[in-house]
Amino acid sequence: MTGLATIILAGGKGTRMKSSLVKVLHPIMGKPMLSYPIEASFEGLDADKTVVVVGHQLESVQKTFSKDPLTFVSQQPQLGSGHAVLCTEKVFRGYDGTILILCGDVPLVRPETLTELVAFHRHEGATLTVVTTRLSDPRGYGRVVRGKSEQIEKIIEEKDASPREKELDEVNTGLYCAEASFLFPGLRKVETNNRQGEYYLTDLVEIGWEEKQRILAFEVPESDQFLGINTRVDLARAHDIVGNRHLQRWMLDGVTIIDPKTTYIETDVTLGKDTVIHPNCVIQGKTAIGRQCVVGPHCLITNSQIDDGVTLRAFSVIEESRIGRGAIVGPFSRIRPQSQIFENAQVGNFVEINKSSIGKGSKAKHLAYIGDATLGEKVNIGAGTIFCNYDGFEKHPTIVGDGVFVGSNAELIAPVKIGDDAIIAAGSTITRDVPAKSLAVSRINQKNVAQWRDRRLKKK
Ligand code: UD1
Ligand code: CA
């Protein structure tokens, strides 16, 4: 069998995005747009080589994908999609296999479609195969003009189309499979006599037709996967399509998503069976949520690990942290990076935790700030407790042993250590270490002044 290579076109600036960021780096569900066709190609095909054509912001694009086995080709200046492919000619010198052409701005294509396309192209012995689909609203896409036979005669861009051609509903998806032996010589014949003054890749169809090459359409009914992203309106539709695909997969895998319309779960997130996600949650990055968890409404979870059986109550925010099995967090808790809440611990209303670990079965249920602290098991942190970890210059640690009881409204001035089973009296300001099992009280003694109110009234 002859070789197979992929070219992904990402040279265009994406003028219609009206953005300082190059179009293909705009994220869709947390991942840059260009990563989608790259992954689809890796997944669907075993190509010898994957070449990416970049025009604008070459360095940032290259940096974003530095871990992938890609060959980058720079296109300067950007004279159209035909010119973009021609720029890769130097990396294909002496190559006479099949070349699959994808567009960086047509990201939703399924890997299976690419596999089927190559199989079709080879089975049919085509010179060039264009992937087409039918759209009820074909505006903005190139239209496919079919001949009398199964061959296609040309692709006409919207801007160059006559009113009759505009009525055609079969469109060019921007994905092609071509024989290298035709592709590069053909492209050299492309001219710029069109409304945009560009070298159109699509002109290859007419060139091939005139040369009596075998030019075929591979028509795919499921058109969602060919959405071309040209504007931010298209970008929002892409979010919708990718989001729904993933949510459906999770639901079929046993996750309850109560309201898919208001649930945003990025593509690298994993979810365990019998977990329930309530409306308005945003789950991002490499977050892994275990089995039988409940994520209450309005939670935001980023790059975190949530073990089995965890309950996250409404409006909790968790970043780069781990929540242990059976723990209960929220409502209104904020768990900041590098924190770990161990098994069966409970963190409640308006508790902020930063760079701290909360031991097994410990509780901080109301209004507290816990920063740079290590708490042992079965600790109780009373309402209003503040771990004073910052002295205006540096951060300092606090260590709290197992079984410690911290009364309400205490301040622990770091660095400080509280021994196992110690008790901190409510309202105390703790500046020195507390030995195990001791009571620490630091508050002025209460004085009661008898009959004070009556004496005060008499004075007036
Ligand atoms: C293109 C097709 C159109 C098709 C549509 C599908 C052409 C002439 N038209 O139109 O028939 O229906 O895609 O979405 O190809 N590019 C470069 N360098 C350039 C210009 C473009 O690399 O100088 C890349 C773009 O980054 C993009 C692709 O080529 O990935 C298509 O270019 P774009 O300008 O978006 O073409 P469309 O008008 O969308
Ligand atoms: Ca486009």
Side-chain angles (χ1 to χ4, degrees):
M1 187 172 285
T2 53
L4 176 68
T6 305
I7 299 174
I8 303 177
L9 302 183
K13 177 158 184 271
T15 313
R16 290 165 280 181
M17 294 293 280
K18 305 203 170 137
S19 174
S20 56
L21 179 68
V22 64
K23 175 161 74 177
V24 291
L25 292 187
H26 275 260
I28 299 174
M29 299 298 283
K31 278 198 297 195
M33 190 185 300
L34 184 55
S35 64
Y36 288 82
I38 292 175
E39 282 171 22
S41 157
F42 286 164
E43 217 179 304
L45 307 165
D46 188 19
D48 307 328
K49 190 190 306 218
T50 304
V51 180
V52 181
V53 181
V54 188
H56 295 271
Q57 299 176 18
L58 175 74
E59 275 171 23
S60 353
V61 176
Q62 237 169 330
K63 209 170 136 207
T64 308
F65 297 96
S66 56
K67 291 204 189 89
D68 292 314
L70 301 168
T71 306
F72 288 93
V73 167
S74 164
Q75 184 198 13
Q76 305 297 344
Q78 297 80 36
L79 303 176
S81 51
H83 175 247
V85 176
L86 200 52
C87 287
T88 69
E89 193 178 19
K90 52 185 182 291
V91 304
F92 285 108
R93 205 148 279 152
Y95 180 85
D96 73 344
T98 306
I99 298 182
L100 176 82
I101 302 171
L102 307 178
C103 286
D105 68 347
V106 183
L108 308 185
V109 62
R110 292 182 189 274
E112 307 85 86
T113 304
L114 303 182
T115 318
E116 287 160 21
L117 165 65
V118 173
F120 172 89
H121 174 85
R122 286 179 164 167
H123 180 257
E124 291 288 335
T127 311
L128 171 67
T129 304
V130 179
V131 181
T132 70
T133 194
R134 291 186 192 269
L135 297 177
S136 54
D137 179 8
R139 268 178 302 174
Y141 291 84
R143 310 296 206 283
V144 176
V145 180
R146 285 192 182 247
K148 289 197 184 72
S149 65
E150 54 176 348
Q151 303 245 126
I152 52 175
E153 282 180 16
K154 67 170 177 178
I155 292 171
I156 183 93
E157 291 305 297
E158 165 107 10
K159 286 189 178 131
D160 304 299
S162 67
R164 271 197 69 182
E165 286 166 333
K166 280 188 186 155
E167 278 169 25
L168 295 168
D169 68 345
E170 185 177 14
V171 302
N172 168 27
T173 63
L175 315 183
Y176 320 81
C177 202
E179 289 308 304
S181 53
F182 165 70
L183 182 65
F184 296 110
L187 281 173
R188 265 184 254 113
K189 295 178 192 147
V190 170
E191 289 168 7
T192 57
N193 48 358
N194 53 56
R195 283 287 295 276
Q196 305 192 80
E198 288 184 0
Y199 292 97
Y200 285 170
L201 177 55
T202 46
D203 282 357
L204 268 185
V205 173
E206 209 174 344
I207 291 167
W209 166 254
E210 279 161 8
E211 287 180 8
K212 306 217 166 8
Q213 299 281 358
R214 194 163 159 74
I215 314 288
L216 298 181
F218 180 64
E219 188 182 331
V220 180
E222 196 227 352
S223 53
D224 262 3
Q225 50 180 325
F226 307 114
L227 173 70
I229 316 287
N230 295 317
T231 66
R232 297 195 202 221
V233 176
D234 301 325
L235 190 65
R237 272 199 63 204
H239 259 108
D240 224 36
I241 294 168
V242 180
N244 276 327
R245 266 190 203 169
H246 281 268
L247 292 186
Q248 271 183 23
R249 206 187 82 211
W250 288 122
M251 290 187 272
L252 294 172
D253 266 359
V255 175
T256 296
I257 294 170
I258 292 179
D259 185 15
K261 286 194 300 301
T262 63
T263 304
Y264 175 87
I265 299 181
E266 288 181 355
T267 52
D268 286 344
V269 171
T270 61
L271 302 162
K273 289 196 173 42
D274 287 320
T275 280
V276 179
I277 313 283
H278 285 262
N280 289 312
C281 289
V282 174
I283 308 178
Q284 300 173 310
K286 297 207 182 308
T287 293
I289 299 185
R291 292 164 177 252
Q292 293 180 326
C293 294
V294 177
V295 181
H298 305 277
C299 288
L300 168 62
I301 311 169
T302 310
N303 294 319
S304 293
Q305 182 176 334
I306 314 293
D307 294 344
D308 295 345
V310 165
T311 301
L312 302 179
R313 295 192 172 135
F315 294 99
S316 294
V317 177
I318 297 166
E319 289 164 85
E320 291 164 39
S321 290
R322 178 167 180 183
I323 315 290
R325 189 185 281 261
I328 301 175
V329 172
F332 299 100
S333 299
R334 177 161 184 220
I335 315 294
R336 293 171 54 194
Q338 296 176 48
S339 295
Q340 184 160 3
I341 314 295
F342 283 88
E343 272 173 63
N344 299 320
Q346 294 184 34
V347 175
N349 320 256
F350 307 103
V351 173
E352 176 179 345
I353 294 178
N354 188 20
K355 261 195 182 174
S356 296
S357 66
I358 311 294
K360 268 189 203 169
S362 291
K363 295 177 184 172
K365 295 183 69 167
H366 335 264
L367 301 156
Y369 172 70
I370 302 175
D372 294 291
T374 308
L375 274 58
E377 298 180 8
K378 298 210 163 116
V379 170
N380 194 308
I381 303 291
T385 297
I386 308 289
F387 284 60
C388 308
N389 58 331
Y390 183 52
D391 60 12
F393 301 95
E394 281 170 83
K395 298 273 180 74
H396 302 282
T398 300
I399 295 170
V400 179
D402 293 342
V404 167
F405 179 92
V406 179
S408 295
N409 205 30
E411 288 140 31
L412 308 180
I413 315 256
V416 69
K417 271 189 200 155
I418 317 292
D420 291 350
D421 299 309
I423 295 177
I424 310 293
S428 296
T429 299
I430 302 300
T431 52
R432 282 182 289 126
D433 291 354
V434 179
K437 297 187 179 175
S438 320
L439 168 71
V441 200
S442 79
R443 56 190 185 210
I444 39 175
N445 285 328
Q446 181 174 335
K447 185 173 155 193
N448 292 340
V449 182
Q451 304 303 322
W452 184 85
R453 188 171 178 277
D454 290 348
R455 279 163 31 206
R456 174 81 198 258
L457 283 175
K458 251 186 222 157
K459 263 194 199 158
K460 275 208 165 179

